[in-house]
Amino acid sequence: MKSLNISTIFLALAVIICISCYSVECYKIGVGRADITGPPVEVTFMGYANLKQKGKGLHLRQFARSFVVEDPSGNRVAYVSADCGMVGYGVKREVIKRLKDRYQDIYSIDNVVISGTHTHSTPGGFLMDLLYDLSILGFVPQTYEALCQGIYLSIKRATDNLQEGKIFLSKTTVLNANINRSPSSYLMNPEAERARYEFDVDKDITQLKFVNLENELIGVFHWFAVHPTSMNNTNHLVSSDNVGYASMLLEKHYNPNKLPGKGKFVGAFASTNLGDVSPNIRGPKCQKSGNNCDVLTSRCPHEEGECVASGPGKDMFESTQTIAIRLYEAGVGLLQEESGREVTGDVSFIHQTVNMTNYSASVYNPLSRKMDKIRGCLPAMGYSFAAGTTDGPGVFLFEQGETTSNPMWNALRDFIAPPTQADIDCQHPKPILLATGRAAFPYEWQPKVVPTQVLKIGDLILAGIPGEPTTMSGRRLRNAIKKSALESGGGEFDVILAGLSNLYSSYIATFEEYQAQRYEAASTLYGPHTLSIYINQYKMLTAAMMTGKSVEKGPEPPYLNDKVLSLVPGVVFDGHPIGKDFGAIKFDAKRSYTINDVVTVTFIAGNPRNNIFHEKTYLVVERKINERWKIVLTDADWDTKMHWERTSTLLGFSDIRIEWTIAPNILPGEYRIRHFGNYKYILGGIFPYEGVSRTFNVTNNAKL
Ligand SMILES: *[C@@H]1O[C@H](CO)[C@@H](O)[C@H](O)[C@H]1NC(C)=O
Ligand SMILES: *[C@@H]1O[C@H](CO)[C@@H](O)[C@H](O)[C@H]1NC(C)=O
Ligand SMILES: *[C@@H]1O[C@H](CO)[C@@H](O)[C@H](O)[C@H]1NC(C)=O
Ligand SMILES: *[C@@H]1O[C@H](CO)[C@@H](O)[C@H](O)[C@H]1NC(C)=O
């Protein structure tokens, strides 16, 4: 009797295992999320390269969102979308090191893609290459550590949650969430090529849905081409911007009753060929006059102000929210339609680093209609790059007539060597502003060696691109990869480009766009053939992967961790006024509020950099229910904002002002706001403190 039972159980188990995952249609899948928020104050944001855009608080937390897929023969890949400006090779190398310490050789540089969403409102200082950390005043160890540990943790969570499941791919279009910000450059591309596309930006959104064998939705990842620059360069609150908020909305929907950043379901909106794509869909206007800017130069007559794009909202917060809601609704729409096709087939991957500066190949030249010998150039930035874009004009290293405003720039500018005639010829028609490839002091200014990488998940290809391809560059790259896969016998594939992955090397414009030398072209580092080199390289990688050939690893990008300069000072100490301890109330809440009011409470505070509270919060809004306090909102919620201000540098005093905008769905009742922080004692040591507002009422009586 007993032995029969056991064998029956075994038989049943064997049958379950068999039917559950006997074919390649079934993968092991896992998703994970972790907090990667950087120091929210005193560090310059990465993106607009505006030294003045330093963090002064927090609106939305940054998260890394990962998925891991393994096929039945044990081939595994991992993909991460991180709410940060981009990803540096130093960050990737460190994440892989931590993964190897934990999982030995399951993960390597070759099978993990890490992609930045490209939000322009998060702290910088993690890229190491000198030019990219320049506007931040150098390397910021705290930003770097926050990214490395959080990204590692998100992959660890995905790994520890691996389960059998399936993957579905679907697509839809979102018409009102992006525009081309260099339409005149786009028009340089051949007419016949443009005629194949309806719009001058990609309007489609690609979705990968992960479900387990109980048909439970465990995660969903989207790719949509748009710059997360709805928050403009006047913003000082850390924010994951439009795509970050879209991810949060999705996670709120599928993790009901969970606080932001919590809950099992993981939803992401990740970057792709967003190089020339803006979310500011009202388009560029002269700020003072409201007139249209000059199309070719994006300039305005002096008296009409700067040329800036904005919209669709009344201010940048509303614009961020509106774009986010449009993306989120498209994602949920696809999920509710249960549309899409199942992704099937084995998993594989390929990776090679390339020295762009001595790459040579023969490619078709569309202008001369002949085969050309092409080569990559030493990195250099053109003049227009200093002019910025209509998403954030005129601010990379310096503003007009303000070349001495950055102390780091002052100290270093003389170490950029002038370009040689060969550099000038190679980069033609780009007029060289900075011959960054010539500068070696004190270390590399912009990368020469870049990682190229292709992941294959069944009949889907995900290519990790170390820069920002423009719309047409992205289309050409995708088509080339698709063609290469087909021609090497792999069959029909969907191709997704993971933008800003693994390393940052600025933009990738097409050869034709390069001739117009707008911002994106001026920031295409390796000369007019940069895109052609990438197309050649990704075709080669795809073909090699399809036919099971291995490729050489390529040269190792330099290790800069022990060289990087940093001029960002640490927290010296925190002090508080006599009689008002840390956490004491400076300005309290009122006694009563109603829907749409803003509750404001100001606390005597320490410097938020003393503890960046990963997976925790600087503040909570609490509601009293049956004499107990329940957390309703945290610092990651859209409706709360934390502002920090040093009120005396000499005495180390600072304030934290918390704002809560009461949303219409807030229930009437008694509420309070608490603040958590750490202060640095003048004689050493970091200590926690907390503060609490008075209890106040929220009523739903409309104001009379
Ligand atoms: C940024 O957006 C705000 C509105 O939120 C607007 O007042 C300001 O002019 C914008 N600035 C730039 C440079 O875009
Ligand atoms: C890349 O190529 C350049 C130019 O040929 C060369 O000077 C440099 O040493 C190469 N870098 C690496 C890491 O191989
Ligand atoms: C590029 O330079 C590296 C290092 O100097 C060398 O090993 C490699 O062969 C060169 N590649 C080409 C295509 O010249
Ligand atoms: C809030 O409203 C309740 C019921 O009207 C009242 O008893 C309580 O005193 C009010 N609390 C405050 C802080 O005003």
Short mmCIF file of all heavy atoms in Angstrom, two decimals, residues 2 21 35 93 95 122 142 276 298 312 323 327 333 347 428 437 468 477 582 595 619 645 655 668:
data_model
loop_
_atom_site.label_atom_id
_atom_site.label_comp_id
_atom_site.label_asym_id
_atom_site.label_seq_id
_atom_site.Cartn_x
_atom_site.Cartn_y
_atom_site.Cartn_z
N LYS A 2 1.79 1.27 0.96
CA LYS A 2 2.65 2.43 1.10
C LYS A 2 3.55 2.64 -0.14
O LYS A 2 3.66 3.74 -0.65
CB LYS A 2 3.53 2.24 2.34
CG LYS A 2 4.09 3.55 2.86
CD LYS A 2 4.75 3.36 4.20
CE LYS A 2 5.14 4.70 4.78
NZ LYS A 2 5.85 4.56 6.04
N CYS A 21 7.28 21.17 -18.88
CA CYS A 21 8.38 21.85 -19.55
C CYS A 21 9.20 20.88 -20.38
O CYS A 21 10.40 20.80 -20.22
CB CYS A 21 9.27 22.53 -18.51
SG CYS A 21 10.04 24.00 -19.16
N ASP A 35 15.90 48.86 -5.64
CA ASP A 35 16.08 50.31 -5.54
C ASP A 35 17.51 50.68 -5.93
O ASP A 35 18.46 50.04 -5.46
CB ASP A 35 15.82 50.70 -4.06
CG ASP A 35 15.65 52.19 -3.82
OD1 ASP A 35 16.10 52.98 -4.66
OD2 ASP A 35 15.08 52.54 -2.77
N ARG A 93 30.90 45.91 -15.23
CA ARG A 93 31.98 45.03 -14.76
C ARG A 93 31.79 44.72 -13.27
O ARG A 93 31.95 43.58 -12.84
CB ARG A 93 33.33 45.74 -15.00
CG ARG A 93 34.51 44.88 -14.79
CD ARG A 93 35.68 45.19 -15.74
NE ARG A 93 35.96 46.61 -15.90
CZ ARG A 93 36.79 47.08 -16.83
NH1 ARG A 93 37.42 46.27 -17.66
NH2 ARG A 93 36.99 48.37 -16.94
N VAL A 95 28.90 44.85 -11.52
CA VAL A 95 27.70 44.02 -11.33
C VAL A 95 28.05 42.55 -11.61
O VAL A 95 27.67 41.64 -10.85
CB VAL A 95 26.54 44.50 -12.23
CG1 VAL A 95 25.40 43.50 -12.25
CG2 VAL A 95 26.04 45.87 -11.79
N THR A 122 18.47 62.13 -12.74
CA THR A 122 19.04 61.31 -11.66
C THR A 122 20.53 61.62 -11.54
O THR A 122 21.16 62.03 -12.52
CB THR A 122 18.82 59.81 -11.93
OG1 THR A 122 19.40 59.46 -13.19
CG2 THR A 122 17.34 59.46 -11.95
N GLN A 142 29.20 57.27 -4.33
CA GLN A 142 27.89 56.91 -3.79
C GLN A 142 26.88 56.59 -4.90
O GLN A 142 26.09 55.66 -4.77
CB GLN A 142 27.37 58.06 -2.92
CG GLN A 142 26.31 57.63 -1.92
CD GLN A 142 25.89 58.74 -0.98
OE1 GLN A 142 26.15 59.92 -1.24
NE2 GLN A 142 25.24 58.36 0.10
N ASP A 276 17.03 60.79 -31.40
CA ASP A 276 16.49 62.08 -31.84
C ASP A 276 15.02 62.24 -31.46
O ASP A 276 14.27 62.96 -32.10
CB ASP A 276 16.65 62.23 -33.37
CG ASP A 276 16.08 61.02 -34.13
OD1 ASP A 276 15.64 60.05 -33.48
OD2 ASP A 276 16.07 61.04 -35.38
N SER A 298 17.46 75.48 -34.75
CA SER A 298 16.77 75.52 -33.46
C SER A 298 17.18 76.76 -32.66
O SER A 298 17.49 76.68 -31.48
CB SER A 298 17.06 74.26 -32.64
OG SER A 298 16.50 73.15 -33.26
N PRO A 312 3.13 67.63 -23.30
CA PRO A 312 1.79 68.15 -23.56
C PRO A 312 1.14 68.84 -22.35
O PRO A 312 0.09 69.44 -22.52
CB PRO A 312 1.01 66.89 -23.93
CG PRO A 312 1.72 65.78 -23.23
CD PRO A 312 3.16 66.18 -23.17
N ILE A 323 2.60 61.76 -20.50
CA ILE A 323 3.31 60.79 -21.35
C ILE A 323 3.31 59.42 -20.67
O ILE A 323 3.05 58.38 -21.31
CB ILE A 323 4.76 61.26 -21.63
CG1 ILE A 323 4.77 62.59 -22.39
CG2 ILE A 323 5.56 60.19 -22.37
CD1 ILE A 323 4.27 62.55 -23.81
N LEU A 327 1.77 55.76 -22.12
CA LEU A 327 2.55 54.53 -22.29
C LEU A 327 1.95 53.40 -21.45
O LEU A 327 1.79 52.26 -21.92
CB LEU A 327 4.01 54.76 -21.88
CG LEU A 327 4.77 55.78 -22.72
CD1 LEU A 327 6.21 55.92 -22.24
CD2 LEU A 327 4.75 55.38 -24.20
N GLY A 333 -3.38 47.91 -22.15
CA GLY A 333 -4.26 47.55 -23.26
C GLY A 333 -3.83 46.24 -23.90
O GLY A 333 -4.65 45.34 -24.13
N VAL A 347 17.85 29.63 -26.33
CA VAL A 347 18.46 30.87 -25.86
C VAL A 347 19.94 30.85 -26.21
O VAL A 347 20.59 29.81 -26.05
CB VAL A 347 18.28 30.99 -24.32
CG1 VAL A 347 19.17 32.07 -23.73
CG2 VAL A 347 16.81 31.24 -23.97
N HIS A 428 35.33 64.70 -40.88
CA HIS A 428 34.67 65.62 -41.81
C HIS A 428 33.25 65.13 -42.15
O HIS A 428 33.07 63.95 -42.35
CB HIS A 428 35.50 65.74 -43.10
CG HIS A 428 34.89 66.67 -44.09
ND1 HIS A 428 35.05 68.04 -44.00
CD2 HIS A 428 34.07 66.44 -45.15
CE1 HIS A 428 34.37 68.60 -44.98
NE2 HIS A 428 33.76 67.67 -45.70
N GLY A 437 39.45 62.00 -28.14
CA GLY A 437 40.24 60.79 -28.36
C GLY A 437 41.74 61.04 -28.24
O GLY A 437 42.52 60.12 -28.07
N GLU A 468 23.17 55.95 -28.20
CA GLU A 468 21.80 56.35 -28.51
C GLU A 468 21.60 56.41 -30.02
O GLU A 468 21.93 57.42 -30.63
CB GLU A 468 21.53 57.75 -27.95
CG GLU A 468 21.85 57.91 -26.48
CD GLU A 468 21.55 59.34 -26.00
OE1 GLU A 468 20.49 59.87 -26.35
OE2 GLU A 468 22.38 59.91 -25.30
N LEU A 477 19.69 49.42 -38.19
CA LEU A 477 20.32 48.37 -37.39
C LEU A 477 19.40 47.16 -37.23
O LEU A 477 19.81 46.01 -37.40
CB LEU A 477 20.66 48.91 -36.00
CG LEU A 477 22.10 49.34 -35.74
CD1 LEU A 477 22.18 50.07 -34.41
CD2 LEU A 477 23.04 48.14 -35.72
N PHE A 582 17.37 67.49 15.52
CA PHE A 582 17.06 66.89 14.22
C PHE A 582 15.68 66.23 14.30
O PHE A 582 15.38 65.53 15.27
CB PHE A 582 18.10 65.83 13.85
CG PHE A 582 19.47 66.40 13.63
CD1 PHE A 582 20.49 66.19 14.54
CD2 PHE A 582 19.73 67.17 12.50
CE1 PHE A 582 21.76 66.72 14.34
CE2 PHE A 582 20.99 67.71 12.29
CZ PHE A 582 22.02 67.49 13.22
N ILE A 595 -9.33 67.53 -0.49
CA ILE A 595 -8.79 66.97 -1.74
C ILE A 595 -8.15 68.07 -2.60
O ILE A 595 -8.69 69.17 -2.70
CB ILE A 595 -9.94 66.29 -2.54
CG1 ILE A 595 -10.58 65.18 -1.72
CG2 ILE A 595 -9.45 65.77 -3.88
CD1 ILE A 595 -9.68 64.10 -1.24
N LEU A 619 10.29 59.45 4.02
CA LEU A 619 9.05 59.98 4.57
C LEU A 619 7.91 58.98 4.41
O LEU A 619 7.95 58.12 3.52
CB LEU A 619 8.67 61.29 3.84
CG LEU A 619 8.30 61.15 2.36
CD1 LEU A 619 6.79 61.07 2.17
CD2 LEU A 619 8.84 62.33 1.58
N GLU A 645 17.20 71.67 1.83
CA GLU A 645 17.90 72.95 1.67
C GLU A 645 18.87 73.15 2.81
O GLU A 645 18.52 73.01 3.99
CB GLU A 645 16.85 74.08 1.67
CG GLU A 645 17.43 75.41 1.29
CD GLU A 645 16.46 76.57 1.53
OE1 GLU A 645 15.28 76.30 1.87
OE2 GLU A 645 16.89 77.72 1.41
N ASP A 655 17.17 72.03 6.22
CA ASP A 655 15.73 71.77 6.36
C ASP A 655 15.30 70.75 5.33
O ASP A 655 15.84 70.73 4.22
CB ASP A 655 14.91 73.03 6.03
CG ASP A 655 15.05 74.11 7.08
OD1 ASP A 655 15.59 73.81 8.17
OD2 ASP A 655 14.61 75.25 6.80
N PRO A 668 -11.28 60.31 3.49
CA PRO A 668 -11.28 61.28 4.59
C PRO A 668 -10.79 60.61 5.87
O PRO A 668 -10.99 59.40 6.05
CB PRO A 668 -12.75 61.68 4.73
CG PRO A 668 -13.49 61.04 3.62
CD PRO A 668 -12.62 60.03 2.96
#
